[in-house]
Amino acid sequence: MLAASQKIPVQCFAVGAQRHPYAYFSMPAKPVRKPADLVGKKVGVQATAKILLSAVLKKYSISEKDLEVVVIGSEMTPLLTGQTDVVSGWVSNTTTLKVLGPERIDLMLWDTGVRLYALPYYATRETVERKPEVLAAFVRAASRGWEFAYSNPEKAVDFLLKDYPNLVRADEVEGTKALLRFVFNERTRAEGWGTFEPAIWAEQIKTYDELKQFTAGAPKLDDVITTGILAATKDKRPKVG
């Protein structure tokens, strides 16, 4: 969206995950189960994710002055040491999250109403227009790979370990299964892997525009996405979920 607003001609032609696995994590001592619970808390977010927190606060008319934002890395340590009351990250990062234990409380970004896709696939407008068959072939192949992982998560991890033998198999299997819950759902069962709703993208553009993220003006929806590749692979993308 930001690229398109700056007249950089890239478009999303498919998405890997139907719901973003990003969440805010807290503990029972200071639980955050809904956006209003963020008030009065120290909230740890990665620098690039600050805009997502701003979107949540704006949606619920919460002033940023009503909480303290702390920039953190990818570790959960700030929550355990009391530096923050909340930390953020992907629920599929199961290895990192283990330190929080079973009492961890998750507030999913999607459930707050700030709906973002994850793992989007992009190409230049020139590629979309001049080489659609290449992108269609890619989508067909990628969708088969994701379907294989859905049906055979442990075998998929074994392929991963061949290239990255330093990874811990048990952790990767757990993380893969967690991620796949966001990749496949009722929409992929109906419309196939990689699908997306233009209305959700339009909603995102509106949110970012309201947060004044587009210095050159909000992009048009057609500059951000293209549905042509999905249409061309309609009968080839696996319908599971």
Side-chain angles (χ1 to χ4, degrees):
M1 294 184 294
L2 294 170
S5 74
Q6 296 292 334
K7 309 305 179 186
I8 298 172
V10 292
Q11 293 175 300
C12 175
F13 60 87
V15 299
Q18 294 298 306
R19 292 172 58 236
H20 207 299
Y22 188 82
Y24 298 97
F25 308 114
S26 60
M27 301 300 287
K30 294 184 178 180
V32 173
R33 294 186 172 88
K34 57 184 184 299
D37 294 338
L38 291 167
V39 174
K41 301 293 196 303
K42 292 182 180 179
V43 183
V45 297
Q46 298 74 27
T48 53
K50 173 64 168 58
I51 185 60
L52 301 180
L53 178 60
S54 296
V56 173
L57 298 180
K58 183 175 180 60
K59 189 172 186 66
Y60 290 86
S61 300
I62 299 172
S63 172
E64 294 198 17
K65 295 179 181 178
D66 292 338
L67 60 152
E68 181 179 346
V69 180
V70 181
V71 176
I72 63 170
S74 59
E75 297 298 317
M76 303 291 107
T77 307
L79 180 57
L80 296 176
T81 59
Q83 292 174 279
T84 66
D85 304 314
V86 185
V87 290
S88 61
W90 286 35
V91 296
S92 54
N93 290 342
T94 53
T95 302
T96 302
L97 291 170
K98 278 184 178 179
V99 297
L100 299 183
E103 295 185 333
R104 184 189 89 215
I105 297 168
D106 300 351
L107 172 61
M108 298 301 304
L109 178 70
W110 185 278
D111 293 339
T112 69
V114 178
R115 303 188 298 172
L116 298 175
Y117 289 116
L119 310 179
Y121 292 87
Y122 297 99
T124 64
R125 181 181 285 274
E126 181 179 9
T127 299
V128 170
E129 294 176 351
R130 297 187 180 184
K131 300 180 180 179
E133 72 285 352
V134 172
L135 297 182
F138 172 81
V139 166
R140 291 195 300 271
S143 68
R144 290 202 301 271
W146 279 106
E147 182 183 28
F148 179 87
Y150 178 77
S151 302
N152 308 275
E154 296 191 6
K155 289 183 180 179
V157 167
D158 288 337
F159 284 124
L160 176 68
L161 293 175
K162 287 183 179 180
D163 286 330
Y164 301 94
N166 59 309
L167 297 176
V168 178
R169 186 178 188 275
D171 289 350
E172 295 306 318
V173 169
E174 184 180 0
T176 294
K177 290 179 178 179
L179 178 61
L180 286 169
R181 292 199 301 269
F182 296 88
V183 174
F184 292 100
N185 63 7
E186 64 281 353
R187 276 193 61 80
T188 57
R189 187 167 61 248
E191 299 184 25
W193 174 88
T195 188
F196 58 74
E197 291 185 68
I200 289 181
W201 282 99
E203 186 180 284
Q204 293 176 28
I205 292 171
K206 182 175 183 292
T207 296
Y208 271 57
D209 191 30
E210 290 174 346
L211 293 169
K212 303 185 186 306
Q213 293 300 298
F214 302 122
T215 58
K220 295 179 180 178
L221 181 61
D222 289 345
D223 290 333
V224 175
I225 63 169
T226 176
T227 58
I229 307 304
L230 291 176
T233 56
K234 180 179 179 180
D235 298 326
K236 301 295 184 180
R237 292 178 284 110
K239 294 181 178 180
V240 297

Short mmCIF file of all heavy atoms in Angstrom, two decimals, residues 90-129:
data_model
loop_
_atom_site.label_atom_id
_atom_site.label_comp_id
_atom_site.label_asym_id
_atom_site.label_seq_id
_atom_site.Cartn_x
_atom_site.Cartn_y
_atom_site.Cartn_z
N TRP A 90 3.97 -12.90 16.49
CA TRP A 90 3.16 -13.86 15.74
C TRP A 90 2.89 -15.08 16.62
O TRP A 90 3.82 -15.62 17.22
CB TRP A 90 3.88 -14.30 14.48
CG TRP A 90 3.91 -13.28 13.38
CD1 TRP A 90 4.01 -11.93 13.52
CD2 TRP A 90 3.87 -13.55 11.97
NE1 TRP A 90 4.03 -11.33 12.28
CE2 TRP A 90 3.95 -12.29 11.32
CE3 TRP A 90 3.79 -14.71 11.22
CZ2 TRP A 90 3.93 -12.19 9.93
CZ3 TRP A 90 3.78 -14.60 9.83
CH2 TRP A 90 3.84 -13.34 9.20
N VAL A 91 1.65 -15.54 16.67
CA VAL A 91 1.34 -16.72 17.47
C VAL A 91 1.97 -17.99 16.89
O VAL A 91 2.04 -19.02 17.56
CB VAL A 91 -0.18 -16.93 17.63
CG1 VAL A 91 -0.81 -15.79 18.39
CG2 VAL A 91 -0.85 -17.11 16.28
N SER A 92 2.43 -17.91 15.65
CA SER A 92 3.10 -19.06 15.04
C SER A 92 4.56 -19.18 15.48
O SER A 92 5.19 -20.20 15.22
CB SER A 92 3.02 -18.97 13.52
OG SER A 92 3.53 -17.73 13.06
N ASN A 93 5.08 -18.16 16.16
CA ASN A 93 6.45 -18.24 16.68
C ASN A 93 6.45 -18.99 18.01
O ASN A 93 6.74 -18.45 19.06
CB ASN A 93 7.03 -16.83 16.85
CG ASN A 93 7.30 -16.15 15.53
OD1 ASN A 93 7.38 -16.81 14.49
ND2 ASN A 93 7.43 -14.84 15.54
N THR A 94 6.09 -20.26 17.92
CA THR A 94 5.86 -21.05 19.13
C THR A 94 7.10 -21.23 19.99
O THR A 94 7.00 -21.30 21.21
CB THR A 94 5.29 -22.42 18.75
OG1 THR A 94 6.14 -23.04 17.78
CG2 THR A 94 3.89 -22.28 18.14
N THR A 95 8.27 -21.31 19.38
CA THR A 95 9.50 -21.47 20.15
C THR A 95 9.73 -20.26 21.05
O THR A 95 10.02 -20.40 22.24
CB THR A 95 10.70 -21.66 19.21
OG1 THR A 95 10.48 -22.80 18.39
CG2 THR A 95 11.98 -21.86 20.02
N THR A 96 9.58 -19.07 20.49
CA THR A 96 9.77 -17.84 21.26
C THR A 96 8.73 -17.70 22.35
O THR A 96 9.01 -17.23 23.46
CB THR A 96 9.70 -16.62 20.32
OG1 THR A 96 10.70 -16.76 19.30
CG2 THR A 96 9.96 -15.33 21.08
N LEU A 97 7.51 -18.14 22.08
CA LEU A 97 6.41 -17.96 23.02
C LEU A 97 6.41 -18.96 24.17
O LEU A 97 5.72 -18.76 25.17
CB LEU A 97 5.07 -18.06 22.28
CG LEU A 97 4.75 -16.91 21.31
CD1 LEU A 97 3.52 -17.25 20.48
CD2 LEU A 97 4.52 -15.62 22.09
N LYS A 98 7.18 -20.03 24.05
CA LYS A 98 7.17 -21.08 25.08
C LYS A 98 7.48 -20.54 26.47
O LYS A 98 6.97 -21.03 27.47
CB LYS A 98 8.15 -22.18 24.72
CG LYS A 98 7.61 -23.20 23.73
CD LYS A 98 8.61 -24.31 23.50
CE LYS A 98 8.04 -25.35 22.55
NZ LYS A 98 9.01 -26.45 22.28
N VAL A 99 8.33 -19.52 26.54
CA VAL A 99 8.75 -19.00 27.84
C VAL A 99 7.59 -18.39 28.62
O VAL A 99 7.66 -18.25 29.84
CB VAL A 99 9.88 -17.96 27.69
CG1 VAL A 99 11.12 -18.59 27.08
CG2 VAL A 99 9.42 -16.77 26.85
N LEU A 100 6.51 -18.04 27.93
CA LEU A 100 5.37 -17.42 28.60
C LEU A 100 4.46 -18.45 29.27
O LEU A 100 3.65 -18.09 30.12
CB LEU A 100 4.56 -16.59 27.60
CG LEU A 100 5.30 -15.42 26.95
CD1 LEU A 100 4.34 -14.63 26.05
CD2 LEU A 100 5.93 -14.50 27.98
N GLY A 101 4.60 -19.72 28.87
CA GLY A 101 3.83 -20.76 29.52
C GLY A 101 2.38 -20.83 29.09
O GLY A 101 1.90 -20.03 28.28
N PRO A 102 1.64 -21.77 29.65
CA PRO A 102 0.26 -22.03 29.23
C PRO A 102 -0.75 -20.98 29.67
O PRO A 102 -1.88 -20.97 29.19
CB PRO A 102 -0.05 -23.39 29.88
CG PRO A 102 0.84 -23.43 31.09
CD PRO A 102 2.10 -22.74 30.68
N GLU A 103 -0.37 -20.10 30.59
CA GLU A 103 -1.31 -19.09 31.07
C GLU A 103 -1.35 -17.85 30.19
O GLU A 103 -2.11 -16.92 30.45
CB GLU A 103 -0.96 -18.68 32.51
CG GLU A 103 -1.13 -19.81 33.53
CD GLU A 103 -0.89 -19.34 34.94
OE1 GLU A 103 -0.13 -18.36 35.12
OE2 GLU A 103 -1.46 -19.93 35.87
N ARG A 104 -0.55 -17.84 29.15
CA ARG A 104 -0.48 -16.71 28.23
C ARG A 104 -1.86 -16.35 27.69
O ARG A 104 -2.66 -17.22 27.36
CB ARG A 104 0.44 -17.08 27.07
CG ARG A 104 0.71 -15.99 26.07
CD ARG A 104 1.44 -16.55 24.89
NE ARG A 104 0.53 -17.03 23.87
CZ ARG A 104 0.75 -18.10 23.10
NH1 ARG A 104 1.83 -18.83 23.25
NH2 ARG A 104 -0.14 -18.46 22.19
N ILE A 105 -2.13 -15.05 27.59
CA ILE A 105 -3.40 -14.55 27.05
C ILE A 105 -3.12 -13.87 25.71
O ILE A 105 -2.25 -13.01 25.62
CB ILE A 105 -4.05 -13.55 28.03
CG1 ILE A 105 -4.38 -14.26 29.34
CG2 ILE A 105 -5.30 -12.93 27.41
CD1 ILE A 105 -4.75 -13.31 30.46
N ASP A 106 -3.86 -14.26 24.69
CA ASP A 106 -3.66 -13.72 23.34
C ASP A 106 -4.81 -12.81 22.95
O ASP A 106 -5.98 -13.19 23.08
CB ASP A 106 -3.58 -14.85 22.31
CG ASP A 106 -2.44 -15.83 22.56
OD1 ASP A 106 -1.60 -15.55 23.44
OD2 ASP A 106 -2.41 -16.86 21.87
N LEU A 107 -4.48 -11.63 22.47
CA LEU A 107 -5.46 -10.75 21.84
C LEU A 107 -5.04 -10.63 20.38
O LEU A 107 -4.06 -9.94 20.05
CB LEU A 107 -5.48 -9.37 22.50
CG LEU A 107 -6.35 -8.30 21.80
CD1 LEU A 107 -7.82 -8.74 21.75
CD2 LEU A 107 -6.20 -6.94 22.47
N MET A 108 -5.77 -11.31 19.49
CA MET A 108 -5.41 -11.32 18.08
C MET A 108 -5.71 -9.97 17.44
O MET A 108 -6.79 -9.40 17.66
CB MET A 108 -6.18 -12.41 17.34
CG MET A 108 -5.90 -13.84 17.83
SD MET A 108 -4.16 -14.32 17.70
CE MET A 108 -3.83 -14.03 15.96
N LEU A 109 -4.78 -9.48 16.63
CA LEU A 109 -4.99 -8.22 15.91
C LEU A 109 -6.27 -8.30 15.07
O LEU A 109 -7.06 -7.37 15.06
CB LEU A 109 -3.79 -7.93 15.01
CG LEU A 109 -3.89 -6.67 14.16
CD1 LEU A 109 -3.79 -5.42 15.04
CD2 LEU A 109 -2.80 -6.65 13.09
N TRP A 110 -6.47 -9.41 14.39
CA TRP A 110 -7.64 -9.60 13.53
C TRP A 110 -8.93 -9.44 14.34
O TRP A 110 -9.89 -8.83 13.88
CB TRP A 110 -7.58 -10.97 12.89
CG TRP A 110 -8.66 -11.23 11.89
CD1 TRP A 110 -9.94 -11.64 12.15
CD2 TRP A 110 -8.57 -11.11 10.46
NE1 TRP A 110 -10.65 -11.79 10.99
CE2 TRP A 110 -9.83 -11.47 9.94
CE3 TRP A 110 -7.55 -10.75 9.58
CZ2 TRP A 110 -10.09 -11.47 8.56
CZ3 TRP A 110 -7.81 -10.76 8.22
CH2 TRP A 110 -9.06 -11.11 7.73
N ASP A 111 -8.92 -9.98 15.56
CA ASP A 111 -10.13 -9.92 16.40
C ASP A 111 -10.43 -8.52 16.91
O ASP A 111 -11.55 -8.26 17.36
CB ASP A 111 -10.00 -10.89 17.57
CG ASP A 111 -9.99 -12.34 17.13
OD1 ASP A 111 -10.47 -12.62 16.01
OD2 ASP A 111 -9.50 -13.20 17.88
N THR A 112 -9.46 -7.61 16.84
CA THR A 112 -9.73 -6.22 17.23
C THR A 112 -10.44 -5.47 16.10
O THR A 112 -10.89 -4.34 16.30
CB THR A 112 -8.43 -5.47 17.57
OG1 THR A 112 -7.66 -5.26 16.37
CG2 THR A 112 -7.60 -6.21 18.60
N GLY A 113 -10.50 -6.08 14.93
CA GLY A 113 -11.12 -5.42 13.80
C GLY A 113 -10.12 -4.81 12.84
O GLY A 113 -10.50 -4.29 11.78
N VAL A 114 -8.84 -4.86 13.20
CA VAL A 114 -7.78 -4.41 12.28
C VAL A 114 -7.36 -5.65 11.49
O VAL A 114 -6.57 -6.47 11.95
CB VAL A 114 -6.59 -3.80 13.04
CG1 VAL A 114 -5.49 -3.40 12.06
CG2 VAL A 114 -7.05 -2.59 13.84
N ARG A 115 -7.93 -5.81 10.31
CA ARG A 115 -7.77 -7.05 9.55
C ARG A 115 -6.70 -6.90 8.47
O ARG A 115 -6.83 -6.10 7.55
CB ARG A 115 -9.11 -7.44 8.93
CG ARG A 115 -10.22 -7.60 9.97
CD ARG A 115 -11.48 -8.19 9.38
NE ARG A 115 -12.07 -7.34 8.34
CZ ARG A 115 -13.08 -7.70 7.56
NH1 ARG A 115 -13.60 -8.92 7.68
NH2 ARG A 115 -13.57 -6.86 6.66
N LEU A 116 -5.65 -7.68 8.62
CA LEU A 116 -4.55 -7.68 7.67
C LEU A 116 -4.29 -9.10 7.19
O LEU A 116 -4.41 -10.06 7.95
CB LEU A 116 -3.26 -7.16 8.32
CG LEU A 116 -3.23 -5.74 8.87
CD1 LEU A 116 -1.91 -5.50 9.58
CD2 LEU A 116 -3.41 -4.73 7.75
N TYR A 117 -3.92 -9.22 5.93
CA TYR A 117 -3.45 -10.50 5.42
C TYR A 117 -1.97 -10.64 5.77
O TYR A 117 -1.27 -9.65 5.99
CB TYR A 117 -3.64 -10.58 3.91
CG TYR A 117 -5.08 -10.70 3.48
CD1 TYR A 117 -5.69 -9.69 2.72
CD2 TYR A 117 -5.85 -11.81 3.83
CE1 TYR A 117 -7.01 -9.80 2.32
CE2 TYR A 117 -7.17 -11.92 3.42
CZ TYR A 117 -7.74 -10.91 2.68
OH TYR A 117 -9.06 -11.02 2.29
N ALA A 118 -1.50 -11.88 5.80
CA ALA A 118 -0.07 -12.12 6.02
C ALA A 118 0.48 -12.92 4.85
O ALA A 118 -0.26 -13.62 4.14
CB ALA A 118 0.14 -12.88 7.33
N LEU A 119 1.78 -12.84 4.65
CA LEU A 119 2.48 -13.54 3.58
C LEU A 119 1.91 -13.22 2.20
O LEU A 119 1.60 -14.11 1.41
CB LEU A 119 2.43 -15.07 3.82
CG LEU A 119 2.84 -15.55 5.20
CD1 LEU A 119 2.72 -17.06 5.30
CD2 LEU A 119 4.25 -15.09 5.55
N PRO A 120 1.75 -11.94 1.88
CA PRO A 120 1.25 -11.58 0.55
C PRO A 120 2.32 -11.79 -0.52
O PRO A 120 3.51 -11.68 -0.25
CB PRO A 120 0.89 -10.10 0.70
CG PRO A 120 1.82 -9.61 1.76
CD PRO A 120 2.02 -10.76 2.71
N TYR A 121 1.87 -12.10 -1.72
CA TYR A 121 2.78 -12.26 -2.86
C TYR A 121 2.62 -11.06 -3.78
O TYR A 121 1.50 -10.70 -4.18
CB TYR A 121 2.44 -13.54 -3.63
CG TYR A 121 2.74 -14.80 -2.84
CD1 TYR A 121 1.79 -15.33 -1.97
CD2 TYR A 121 3.97 -15.46 -2.96
CE1 TYR A 121 2.05 -16.48 -1.24
CE2 TYR A 121 4.24 -16.61 -2.24
CZ TYR A 121 3.28 -17.12 -1.37
OH TYR A 121 3.54 -18.25 -0.65
N TYR A 122 3.74 -10.45 -4.14
CA TYR A 122 3.73 -9.24 -4.97
C TYR A 122 4.49 -9.43 -6.27
O TYR A 122 5.39 -10.26 -6.36
CB TYR A 122 4.40 -8.07 -4.22
CG TYR A 122 3.73 -7.65 -2.95
CD1 TYR A 122 4.19 -8.09 -1.72
CD2 TYR A 122 2.62 -6.81 -2.98
CE1 TYR A 122 3.58 -7.70 -0.54
CE2 TYR A 122 1.99 -6.41 -1.81
CZ TYR A 122 2.48 -6.87 -0.60
OH TYR A 122 1.86 -6.49 0.57
N ALA A 123 4.13 -8.65 -7.26
CA ALA A 123 4.88 -8.57 -8.51
C ALA A 123 4.73 -7.16 -9.05
O ALA A 123 3.83 -6.41 -8.65
CB ALA A 123 4.34 -9.58 -9.53
N THR A 124 5.63 -6.80 -9.95
CA THR A 124 5.49 -5.48 -10.58
C THR A 124 4.29 -5.50 -11.52
O THR A 124 3.89 -6.56 -12.03
CB THR A 124 6.74 -5.11 -11.39
OG1 THR A 124 6.89 -6.05 -12.46
CG2 THR A 124 7.98 -5.14 -10.51
N ARG A 125 3.73 -4.34 -11.74
CA ARG A 125 2.59 -4.24 -12.68
C ARG A 125 3.00 -4.73 -14.06
O ARG A 125 2.19 -5.37 -14.76
CB ARG A 125 2.11 -2.79 -12.74
CG ARG A 125 0.91 -2.59 -13.66
CD ARG A 125 0.49 -1.14 -13.71
NE ARG A 125 -0.21 -0.74 -12.50
CZ ARG A 125 -1.52 -0.90 -12.30
NH1 ARG A 125 -2.27 -1.48 -13.23
NH2 ARG A 125 -2.08 -0.48 -11.19
N GLU A 126 4.24 -4.48 -14.45
CA GLU A 126 4.71 -4.93 -15.76
C GLU A 126 4.65 -6.46 -15.86
O GLU A 126 4.22 -7.01 -16.88
CB GLU A 126 6.15 -4.46 -16.01
CG GLU A 126 6.69 -4.88 -17.37
CD GLU A 126 8.11 -4.39 -17.61
OE1 GLU A 126 8.73 -3.87 -16.67
OE2 GLU A 126 8.58 -4.54 -18.75
N THR A 127 5.08 -7.15 -14.79
CA THR A 127 5.02 -8.61 -14.79
C THR A 127 3.57 -9.10 -14.83
O THR A 127 3.24 -10.05 -15.54
CB THR A 127 5.74 -9.18 -13.56
OG1 THR A 127 7.11 -8.77 -13.58
CG2 THR A 127 5.68 -10.70 -13.54
N VAL A 128 2.73 -8.44 -14.03
CA VAL A 128 1.31 -8.81 -14.00
C VAL A 128 0.68 -8.70 -15.38
O VAL A 128 -0.09 -9.57 -15.81
CB VAL A 128 0.54 -7.93 -13.00
CG1 VAL A 128 -0.97 -8.14 -13.13
CG2 VAL A 128 0.99 -8.21 -11.57
N GLU A 129 1.03 -7.65 -16.10
CA GLU A 129 0.41 -7.39 -17.40
C GLU A 129 1.05 -8.18 -18.54
O GLU A 129 0.35 -8.63 -19.46
CB GLU A 129 0.47 -5.89 -17.70
CG GLU A 129 -0.39 -5.06 -16.74
CD GLU A 129 -0.25 -3.57 -16.97
OE1 GLU A 129 0.64 -3.17 -17.77
OE2 GLU A 129 -1.01 -2.80 -16.36
#
